[in-house]
Structure formats: structure tokens, C-alpha cells
């Protein structure tokens, strides 16, 4: 199965095209059909000549519904970019192009519609114009087809070109982490809550336990039923449009922009570092960040000319490499895009921290990324590194594995030196003290796990006995007074 979204200026024939190809009406609302204007996302599907099944996500083209358009384009791996032969490139064509560029979409078709309203010379002019406008995007060299959907001209060529395009795509990750960005939620009588979205990786089957992430937090839900292309299925794989019947949440508890994810597949990120795509991203202002079907207010802080820090109004289930669209809500325009590079960045507290952080991100190289990240954090669980996109197949050089933790060797050395110093200082200040308690030692070093303390003690040169840490040269007695005090204790005990 495959999923493709439409894109293009309002009234250029996107809905008419997919209706002609599938025989299904993509406009779901009566108001849309009455006005001939797509307002919200539409979903239709068909089987191509090769037997491949493709779902179309039909997006609105009007400037008032750009948010809905981005919710449709965001999760889609393929786009059919539509330009009408009679009107040519228009204002919303540019906005949809900017969205395609920001999302990094590289697979698609350029479709010239309404060919029955233009002669061949005009069609060639529009193709050339569209090629110029799409230069620099992933669709710069996209195959082009010319159609007149109302009389069927060119539809066979369109489906053949789409079939060839889909046949050349790499197979999606059938065992990857599951994330379904929700684009609809509704109630079905007798079934309960149903949500729809695009399954881009991994697989889902009836009975699975999932997490529903949204602006209101996390819910545990289970899959009561599944449908693909209107038919019940026991299991759904990528890339497919799915309707998921959920148990454990009412329909009014799910909204567009939420996500169904596999347990533990994604962390929740509210502060992220990103690499800019485009030069017109205002900093220090509130932007709207579009990720999947979600639209979240966020403040942008520049790190350097290439990187930004985004502080999101609520957490999103993201992974390193995700592409985001950045939109200025005041100017109602797309100002650029971003690629996620860090989901758990360090705080910026001192003057110059932002610049130094930008330099660090710019200096990352593939083989040393993981070791550098462990060094930055000091101690981290490899599972958390994997969530943020770092390779964890082998323990990097300079990193010690202690239980479920990876510890930078220099950090381990610092902990051991500090512990040894703290014990020595205690003996100097209070020679009669037995030593430093292990609880105090853990608090002193701010260790996240007691297992780490045992490793620190082992290499610190201090001794541990009965929950107390002391230097081996510390005699643990009162020296010359020891015998007299022992006799006094004996007499007191006897009396």
C-alpha cells in the first residue's frame, strides 16, 4: 500500500483529479460539495494497474485552510503537485511549494490539470513555469503528466506514471517504531472511538496496546479493530491509511495533532534543537510548528546561522530527522522548515551558551556523535540516546557501561576524585567520625542510580563497610585512648 497527498492552488482541480481516478468523492462535507471548495482533508483510494493500492489525501488549496493542508502533507511520503493549465502558477502554488520544500518531500508528480482549457503552447508554458518554481525543491525533476479530468484525457498516463513512481520507492520499515499522526477522530455506533491517520513505519494489529499522545498528556489505549481502505483487517503495515477503533478513550479525548505510538517508541520532547531550512525564520517570536498533523505554538531562539532552539507549548513524540514546517501566525505565511537534530538539549544558562551550542551541533560527525553526546551528558541510558537518533549498537570508546547506564569515562573519573576528596575532608574535620554514609555520597555526586555508586566506590580508593565509606589509612579507632575507652565501656556495660 502507498499514500500520496495532493498539493496546489485552490480550484486547480485536485479533488476532481482524485475523484476521476478513484471514482470516490473526496469532499466529505455537504458544504464543500455545495460550494465546490475543499475545506478539510479528504481520503479516497484505488488500485493501480500493477495491483498496488494507493490512498490519496486530498488537501484544501485556499489560503484560509493552510493549517489543514499542512496536516495532510505532513505525514505523506509522496505528493501530486497540481497546476491548472489555464491559470498557471498562483499564490497558493507557492505556499504549497514552500511546504513541500520544508518537509523535504522528494517523491512526487507534477500534474498539469484542466488541459481541455488550454492549447499545447500554453500547456508547455505552464510546465516550464512550474519547473522554474519547483527548482531547488525535491520535486525539481518530478515526472510531469497532463490531464483533463472531466473528460478523462491523460488519466491513464497519470496512473501509469504514479504506478512507476511508487514501484521505485524503497520498502518502508515494517519493524520500525509505530507513530500514527491522527487527522480525524469520531464515534461509530456500536464500536466507539475511531481515529484515522497514516501508518508510515512499523505495524499495528488488533489487540495491540498503544499510547495516545496529545496536548493533554498520555493515555494508554488498545486496538479494538482496524480498517484499511474501508475493509476490516487484523494487521496493518506501512505505508497505509488506517482507521483504528480504540478502547480506553472517548472520541472527544482525541484531536487532530495527537499521535498513536508504540509503548516506549518515542520520548516526549518540549524543547528541541533544529537545523534551519530556509533563511527567513524570525527568532525570538512565537511561531507555529507543524509536525505530522500537529500545529504547536513555539518560541524560536537562534543558536547560530544554521540552528535554532524551539520551545514548544506542549510536548510532541518526535525523533531525530523529523522535518517540521515553521509558520508565522501573524503574517500567515510559511517562513521555513527545520530538521530535528536533538530532542534533549542542554539548558542555556550563561551568556554565550547559545553560540557554543550551535558550534557543537555544527561540528557533529557521524562516527563520533554518540561518544560526544555521552560526554556532554556525563551519564545516560542508551535507550534514551536511541530515542534521540544516536547509534547504540556498540559502546563507544571512552564510555563505561555500568548496568543500564553509559557513563563518560572522564565523568566517572571526576566522580571518583570528588568522592575520595569528600571522604578525606571528613576525616580531617572530624577524626572520630566513622566515615561518609553511602546515602550522603550519592546525594553529593547527584547520581541517578545506586548501581552507579558501587562503580564509583570501586575505583575511588575508599573502603565501604556497613554503609559507611572511609579511607583505608583511617584507623577507625581512638589511637592511644582506644584501650582506656574500651575498658570504660566494659565497666559501664557490666554496671
Amino acid at each position: 500500500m502507498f499514500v500520496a497527498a495532493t498539493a496546489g492552488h485552490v480550484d486547480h482541480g485536485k479533488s476532481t483529479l482524485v475523484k476521476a481516478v478513484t471514482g470516490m468523492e473526496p469532499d466529505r462535507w455537504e458544504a464543500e460539495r455545495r460550494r465546490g471548495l475543499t475545506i478539510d482533508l479528504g481520503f479516497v483510494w484505488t488500485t493501480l494497474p500493477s495491483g498496488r493500492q494507493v490512498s490519496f489525501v486530498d488537501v484544501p488549496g485556499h489560503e484560509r485552510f493552510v493549517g489543514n493542508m499542512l496536516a495532510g502533507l505532513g505525514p505523506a511520503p509522496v505528493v501530486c503537485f497540481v497546476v491548472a493549465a489555464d491559470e498557471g502558477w498562483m499564490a497558493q502554488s507557492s505556499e504549497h511549494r514552500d511546504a513541500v520544500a520544508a518537509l523535504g518531500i522528494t517523491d512526487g508528480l507534477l500534474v498539469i490539470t484542466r488541459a481541455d482549457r488550454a492549447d499545447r503552447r500554453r500547456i508547455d508554458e505552464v510546465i516550464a513555469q512550474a519547473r522554474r518554481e519547483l527548482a531547488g525543491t525535491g520535486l525539481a525533476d518530478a515526472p510531469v503528466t497532463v490531464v483533463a479530468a472531466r473528460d478523462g484525457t491523460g488519466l491513464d498516463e497519470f496512473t501509469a506514471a504514479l504506478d512507476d513512481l511508487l514501484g521505485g520507492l524503497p520498502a518502508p520499515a515494517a519493524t520500525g517504531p509505530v507513530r500514527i499522526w491522527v487527522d480525524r477522530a469520531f464515534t461509530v455506533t456500536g464500536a466507539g472511538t475511531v481515529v484515522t491517520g497514516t501508518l508510515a513505519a512499523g505495524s499495528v494489529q488488533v489487540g495491540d496496546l498503544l499510547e495516545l499522545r496529545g496536548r493533554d498528556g498520555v493515555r494508554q489505549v488498545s486496538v479494538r479493530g482496524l480498517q484499511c481502505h474501508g475493509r476490516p483487517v487484523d494487521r496493518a503495515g506501512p505505508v497505509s491509511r488506517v482507521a483504528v477503533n480504540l478502547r480506553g478513550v472517548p472520541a472527544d479525548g482525541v484531536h487532530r495533532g495527537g499521535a498513536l505510538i508504540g509503548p516506549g517508541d518515542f520520548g516526549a520532547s518540549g524543547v528541541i534543537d533544529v537545523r534551519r531550512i530556509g533563511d527567513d525564520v524570525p527568532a525570538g517570536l512565537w511561531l507555529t510548528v507543524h509536525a505530522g498533523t500537529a500545529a504547536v505554538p513555539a518560541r524560536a531562539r537562534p543558536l547560530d546561522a544554521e540552528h535554532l532552539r524551539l520551545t514548544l507549548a506542549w510536548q510532541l513524540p518526535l525523533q531525530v530527522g523529523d522535518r517540521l514546517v515553521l509558520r508565522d501566525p501573524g503574517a500567515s505565511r510559511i517562513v521555513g522548515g527545520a530538521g530535528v537534530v536533538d530532542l534533549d538539549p542542554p539548558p542555556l544558562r550563561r551568556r554565550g551558551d547559545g553560540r557554543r551550542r550551535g558550534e557543537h551541533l555544527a561540528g557533529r560527525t557521524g562516527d563520533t556523535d554518540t561518544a560526544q553526546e555521552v560526554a556532554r551528558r556525563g551519564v545516560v541510558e542508551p535507550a534514551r540516546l536511541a530515542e534521540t537518533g544516536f547509534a547504540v549498537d556498540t559502546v563507544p570508546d571512552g564510555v563505561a557501561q555500568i548496568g543500564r547506564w553509559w557513563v563518560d569515562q572522564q565523568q566517572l573519573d571526576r566522580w571518583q576524585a570528588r568522592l575520595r576528596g569528600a571522604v578525606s575532608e571528613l576525616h580531617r574535620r572530624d577524626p572520630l567520625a566513622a566515615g561518609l554514609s553511602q546515602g550522603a555520597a550519592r546525594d553529593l555526586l547527584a547520581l541517578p542510580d545506586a548501581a552507579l555508586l558501587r562503580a564509583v566506590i570501586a575505583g575511588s580508593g575508599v573502603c565501604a563497610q556497613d554503609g559507611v565509606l572511609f579511607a583505608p589509612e583511617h584507623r577507625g579507632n581512638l589511637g592511644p585512648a582506644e584501650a582506656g575507652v574500651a575498658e570504660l565501656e566494659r565497666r559501664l556495660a557490666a554496671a
Side-chain angles (χ1 to χ4, degrees), residues 31 45 71 125 215 217 383 406 463:
W45 55 87
E125 290 174 351
R215 61 183 302 173
W406 280 4
C463 300

Side-chain angles (χ1 to χ4, degrees), residues 482 484-494:
E482 180 69 23
V485 172
E487 175 62 18
L488 177 59
E489 288 178 335
R490 186 188 64 76
R491 294 179 185 181
L492 289 171

Side-chain angles (χ1 to χ4, degrees), residues 173-180 198-204 210 238 260-267 318-319 322 386-387:
T175 58
V178 170
R179 180 177 56 184
I180 303 171
T198 298
L199 175 61
S203 61
V204 178
L210 301 174
L260 283 174
I261 63 175
D265 282 348
F266 293 86
L318 299 172
Q319 60 185 354
D322 279 346
E387 286 178 358

Side-chain angles (χ1 to χ4, degrees), residues 393-414:
D393 298 335
T394 58
V395 181
D397 292 339
V399 173
Q401 182 165 8
I402 303 172
R404 61 191 178 93
W405 300 93
W406 280 4
V407 183
D408 176 59
Q409 186 60 56
Q410 293 186 11
Q411 176 65 66
L412 185 59
D413 294 343
R414 288 192 293 269

Side-chain angles (χ1 to χ4, degrees), residues 25-314:
E25 175 58 68
D27 289 334
R28 295 180 289 118
W29 309 115
E30 189 277 331
E32 292 178 306
R33 300 174 188 179
R34 184 181 68 252
R35 297 169 61 188
L37 176 69
T38 299
I39 298 171
D40 203 357
L41 303 178
F43 310 98
V44 291
W45 55 87
T46 191
T47 301
L48 297 174
S50 66
R52 298 184 182 95
Q53 297 179 58
V54 59
S55 297
F56 292 98
V57 180
D58 187 39
V59 308
H62 197 281
E63 61 182 349
R64 290 172 53 194
F65 309 116
V66 170
N68 291 345
M69 177 272 288
L70 291 171
L73 273 183
V78 175
V79 65
C80 297
F81 201 102
V82 171
V83 182
D86 52 337
E87 289 191 347
W89 196 269
M90 301 289 283
Q92 295 311 117
S93 304
S94 295
E95 187 152 30
H96 288 216
R97 172 207 58 205
D98 293 345
V100 167
L103 290 167
I105 297 174
T106 58
D107 297 304
L109 299 177
L110 171 60
V111 187
I112 307 301
T113 56
R114 303 204 308 222
D116 52 335
R117 301 187 183 183
D119 58 23
R120 187 66 234 184
R121 179 180 177 183
R122 172 59 179 167
I123 291 171
D124 290 340
E125 290 174 351
V126 171
I127 292 173
Q129 181 187 34
R131 289 290 194 204
R132 290 193 299 272
E133 296 289 348
L134 291 171
T137 75
L139 300 183
D141 299 316
V144 60
T145 64
V146 179
V147 302
R150 294 193 183 279
D151 64 14
T153 301
L155 291 183
D156 289 343
E157 290 79 2
F158 167 76
T159 55
L162 181 59
D163 213 352
D164 288 344
L165 173 69
L166 299 181
L169 298 182
T175 58
V178 170
R179 180 177 56 184
I180 303 171
W181 291 102
V182 175
D183 49 44
R184 281 194 301 163
F186 50 91
T187 299
V188 174
T189 303
T193 301
V194 175
V195 303
T196 68
T198 298
L199 175 61
S203 61
V204 178
Q205 61 186 19
V206 174
D208 279 356
L209 298 178
L210 301 174
E211 293 178 357
L212 177 63
R213 295 278 184 91
R215 61 183 302 173
D216 299 326
V218 183
R219 287 177 182 261
Q220 304 299 316
V221 296
S222 61
V223 179
R224 184 179 180 184
L226 283 170
Q227 282 194 358
C228 288
H229 292 181
R231 297 189 303 273
V233 295
D234 294 327
R235 179 182 177 278
V239 171
S240 59
R241 290 287 307 170
V242 292
V244 188
N245 183 194
L246 296 177
R247 182 183 288 110
V249 61
D252 59 5
V254 192
H255 307 283
R256 176 176 291 174
L260 283 174
I261 63 175
D265 282 348
F266 293 86
S269 301
V271 179
I272 57 176
D273 286 347
V274 301
R275 182 169 290 110
R276 304 177 191 233
I277 301 166
D279 301 325
D280 195 21
V281 181
L285 300 176
W286 282 100
L287 301 174
T288 300
V289 174
H290 295 265
T293 61
V296 182
R299 186 171 294 278
R301 173 176 176 173
L303 301 175
D304 59 13
E306 189 179 2
H307 299 94
L308 295 170
R309 172 157 298 181
L310 299 177
T311 302
L312 307 176
W314 58 86

Side-chain angles (χ1 to χ4, degrees), residues 275 320 341-343 357 359-369 372-373 376-377 388 390:
R275 182 169 290 110
V320 170
V341 294
D342 199 326
L343 296 167
R357 177 62 178 159
E359 291 172 353
H360 170 78
L361 294 174
R364 277 187 175 179
T365 58
D367 293 340
T368 59
D369 269 359
Q372 289 176 355
E373 188 65 11
R376 178 178 74 80
R377 296 171 184 252
T388 56
F390 291 94

